[in-house]
Amino acid sequence: MLPSEEAFAAAASALGIENKDGIVVYDGKGIFSAARVWWMFQVFGHEKVWVLDGGLPRWRASGYDVESSASSDAILKVSAANEAIEKVYQGQTVGPITFHAKFQPRLVWTFEQ
């Protein structure tokens, strides 16, 4: 249910995320998958992450500006993140790594627990 530290770091790095960055996550349904993204960043040691209250629907309803999420830059970054994850699991070198993950075991329970 979680990627490895290395795969998460590689994907976040490919997205252009660094440990110093603050991140606001949201989704198009309100609150659907954004909370899981928030939790995953927390699990990998990044505390500067927030969920946009009400998600994109509430943002739009409040009259705030929205840019197209289908920019070529965004599409390339997502593709690079997927490729980086695959390389990690195939044992290949990935770089540059700009996000360093540190697993927080207290935030994950095992089946036995």
Side-chain angles (χ1 to χ4, degrees):
M1 298 302 292
L2 280 171
S4 67
E5 279 181 320
E6 296 80 12
F8 190 86
S13 296
L15 291 170
I17 298 171
E18 299 180 19
N19 293 84
K20 67 179 175 61
D21 294 335
I23 303 165
V24 177
V25 295
Y26 61 90
D27 56 57
K29 297 194 183 256
I31 299 295
F32 181 70
S33 58
R36 182 167 178 83
V37 174
W38 171 87
W39 173 74
M40 287 178 66
F41 271 100
Q42 295 282 318
V43 165
F44 289 112
H46 193 69
E47 296 182 357
K48 294 185 286 186
V49 60
W50 301 270
V51 176
L52 183 63
D53 188 11
L56 192 57
R58 188 165 178 191
W59 182 265
R60 285 184 169 142
S62 297
Y64 296 115
D65 291 336
V66 177
E67 290 185 23
S68 171
S69 62
S71 72
S72 59
D73 184 50
I75 292 168
L76 289 174
K77 284 183 178 181
V78 169
S79 179
N82 287 331
E83 184 178 313
I85 291 169
E86 287 186 32
K87 282 184 175 181
V88 166
Y89 287 127
Q90 293 171 358
Q92 298 175 12
T93 304
V94 179
I97 300 298
T98 60
F99 183 89
H100 301 280
K102 183 168 176 11
F103 183 67
Q104 306 295 308
R106 65 182 169 72
L107 298 177
V108 179
W109 284 38
T110 65
F111 179 75
E112 292 78 23
Q113 291 171 310

